[in-house]
């Protein structure tokens, strides 16, 4: 049983797991500008296809009760969905619950609310752009939206493979990764961020440089705490969506047991989560005070 960072990093495959996690965080930063520009262009195309239809709707969620303007946008969004399988005509389903459909037609905020339709379920209101989207949402957006094109067609398939790599890492009960798998993960990530449609953006160039460094870098305790915390938050939120059975539940139970066996890490993660919760509460209180000042209410 490891009881310190120094002991844990003696396990080569655990270090590989940390490197993969850090790699996905780096890839996320490298896709930001590409996705911001791609979704803006997608929105322009949808505005044209809907002949500029403006949405005026009071329904909380998109449904059959929504008006013609909403349905018009929904049809065009679905038209951009990728096929479930390359050799079958049936398309994937848009995830309407991810987004605020009343904003689809807006120039400000509209492009990303549309983009969230192509992501995995569970996207939050706070997800307002690439900067606030995790790598899973980004990869699903690229894979599921036909409008977003890469220079090399095979790299669209690579996106799905990277998505599978990410799921394998995040759902791992052992928190380990073999040398062979780590090499494959990084090769695929470097191929994607090096695609000509992405590579010319400055954040992509920086990400490619960082990915090459991570493979041979020593992991730090700060990176470990951050990755374990992010993994824990992800699994807790994912469990709320998929329920208490299956791979998510197993992964969460394994991570909790891992933390129980590594008290130093457990305390560090809990301290950080507590600080985050305190920061959120402070922001809520500040917002309430600003509203009172603005309205003159007591």
């Amino acid at each position: 049983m490891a009881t310190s960072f120094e002991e844990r990093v003696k396990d080569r495959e655990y270090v590989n797991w940390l490197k993969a996690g850090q790699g996905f965080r780096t890839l996320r930063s490298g896709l930001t500008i590409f996705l911001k520009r791609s979704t803006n262009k997608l929105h322009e195309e949808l505005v044209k296809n809907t002949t500029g239809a403006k949405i005026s709707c009071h329904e909380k969620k998109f449904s059959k009760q929504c008006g013609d303007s909403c349905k018009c946008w929904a049809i065009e969004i679905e038209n951009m969905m990728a096929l479930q399988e390359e050799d079958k005509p049936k398309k994937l389903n848009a995830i309407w619950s991810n987004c605020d459909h009343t904003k689809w037609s807006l120039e400000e905020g509209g492009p990303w609310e549309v983009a969230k339709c192509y992501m995995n379920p569970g996207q939050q209101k706070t997800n307002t752009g690439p900067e606030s989207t995790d790598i899973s949402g980004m990869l699903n957006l690229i894979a599921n939206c036909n409008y977003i094109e890469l220079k090399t067609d095979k790299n669209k398939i690579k996106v799905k493979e990277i998505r599978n790599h990410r799921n394998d890492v995040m759902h791992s009960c052992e928190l380990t990764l073999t040398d062979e798998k780590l090499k494959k993960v990084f090769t695929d990530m470097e191929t994607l961020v090096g695609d000509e449609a992405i590579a010319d953006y400055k954040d992509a160039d920086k990400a490619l440089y960082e990915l090459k460094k991570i493979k041979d870098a020593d992991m730090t305790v700060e990176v470990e705490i951050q990755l374990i915390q992010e993994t824990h938050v992800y699994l807790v939120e994912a469990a709320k969506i998929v329920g208490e059975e299956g791979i998510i539940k197993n992964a969460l139970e394994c991570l909790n047991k891992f933390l129980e066996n590594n008290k130093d890490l457990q305390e560090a993660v809990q301290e950080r989560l507590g600080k985050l919760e305190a920061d959120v509460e402070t922001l809520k209180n500040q917002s309430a005070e600003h509203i009172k000042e603005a309205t003159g209410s007591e």
Side-chain angles (χ1 to χ4, degrees):
M1 180 191 302
T3 57
S4 69
F5 173 73
E6 289 73 18
E7 286 294 317
R8 288 189 293 274
V9 294
K10 290 178 182 178
D11 183 341
R12 182 182 180 89
E13 293 192 349
Y14 175 65
V15 173
N16 287 348
W17 183 87
L18 292 175
K19 287 182 177 182
Q22 185 70 347
F24 292 127
R25 296 180 81 250
T26 302
L27 176 63
R28 173 187 170 278
S29 67
L31 297 175
T32 299
I33 297 176
F34 167 70
L35 284 178
K36 182 173 286 188
R37 303 226 175 143
S38 296
T39 52
N40 283 339
K41 289 179 182 178
L42 166 64
H43 193 258
E44 290 171 4
E45 184 70 13
L46 292 172
V47 168
K48 183 174 69 175
N49 293 349
T50 58
T51 62
K54 297 293 183 182
I55 292 176
S56 178
C57 183
H58 301 294
E59 296 289 333
K60 290 184 178 180
K61 293 183 179 180
F62 175 73
S63 68
K64 293 180 180 179
Q65 281 70 47
C66 290
D68 290 341
S69 58
C70 294
K71 293 175 183 176
C72 176
W73 272 84
I75 289 169
E76 294 302 328
I77 289 170
E78 286 183 320
N79 285 342
M80 300 291 185
M81 291 297 299
L83 300 178
Q84 288 187 7
E85 297 178 35
E86 297 298 325
D87 58 342
K88 295 183 179 180
K90 188 176 181 181
K91 291 194 173 187
L92 294 163
N93 295 319
I95 309 298
W96 306 123
S97 59
N98 274 347
C99 59
D100 182 348
H101 69 286
T102 65
K103 295 181 179 179
W104 285 344
S105 62
L106 299 180
E107 184 176 349
E108 184 69 29
W112 205 250
E113 289 304 319
V114 167
K116 285 156 70 173
C117 296
Y118 302 96
M119 299 182 195
N120 46 302
Q123 302 303 316
Q124 304 295 317
K125 289 182 179 180
T126 52
N127 178 359
T128 57
E131 299 85 356
S132 52
T133 305
D134 67 9
I135 187 60
S136 179
M138 287 183 165
L139 293 172
N140 276 288
L141 171 57
I142 298 171
N144 297 340
C145 181
N146 274 336
Y147 187 83
I148 298 178
E149 295 182 340
L150 300 176
K151 197 71 174 180
T152 305
D153 290 340
K154 288 183 179 179
N155 285 346
K156 269 278 192 175
I157 299 174
K158 193 71 67 180
V159 170
K160 296 176 183 178
E161 292 177 0
I162 296 170
R163 183 177 60 187
N164 290 338
H165 296 330
R166 179 262 177 197
N167 290 340
D168 289 343
V169 169
M170 296 298 281
H171 302 157
S172 170
C173 270
E174 294 78 18
L175 305 184
T176 58
L177 205 65
T178 65
D179 289 347
E180 182 180 2
K181 185 63 182 284
L182 181 71
K183 181 179 179 181
K184 173 65 174 167
V185 168
F186 272 85
T187 298
D188 288 348
M189 288 194 291
E190 289 170 16
T191 298
L192 174 60
V193 83
D195 185 276
E196 289 182 31
I198 301 172
D200 287 341
Y201 294 117
K202 61 181 181 181
D203 60 347
D205 187 57
K206 181 181 178 181
L208 185 58
Y209 173 74
E210 291 295 330
L211 285 170
K212 293 180 184 297
K213 283 176 57 178
I214 292 170
K215 286 184 294 187
D216 299 316
D218 292 330
M219 291 292 97
T220 66
V221 66
E222 179 61 26
V223 167
E224 180 190 40
I225 293 169
Q226 194 166 35
L227 290 173
I228 292 293
Q229 174 212 317
E230 290 177 0
T231 303
H232 191 272
V233 170
Y234 158 73
L235 290 173
V236 168
E237 292 302 315
K240 293 177 183 177
I241 297 169
V242 302
E244 295 299 319
E245 300 298 331
I247 192 170
I248 297 293
K249 180 189 176 184
N250 291 338
L252 183 56
E253 287 178 348
C254 290
L255 182 57
N256 285 334
K257 186 174 181 180
F258 175 79
L259 287 171
E260 288 173 7
N261 291 333
N262 293 273
K263 294 296 184 183
D264 64 311
L265 185 56
Q266 184 181 50
E267 290 172 4
V269 169
Q270 287 175 342
E271 180 182 354
R272 177 169 291 201
L273 288 173
K275 185 178 184 304
L276 286 173
E277 290 172 359
D279 289 345
V280 169
E281 192 61 32
T282 298
L283 288 172
K284 286 181 180 178
N285 292 335
Q286 289 175 347
S287 178
E289 288 300 319
H290 289 321
I291 291 171
K292 285 182 181 179
E293 291 174 7
T295 61
S297 60
E298 294 297 333

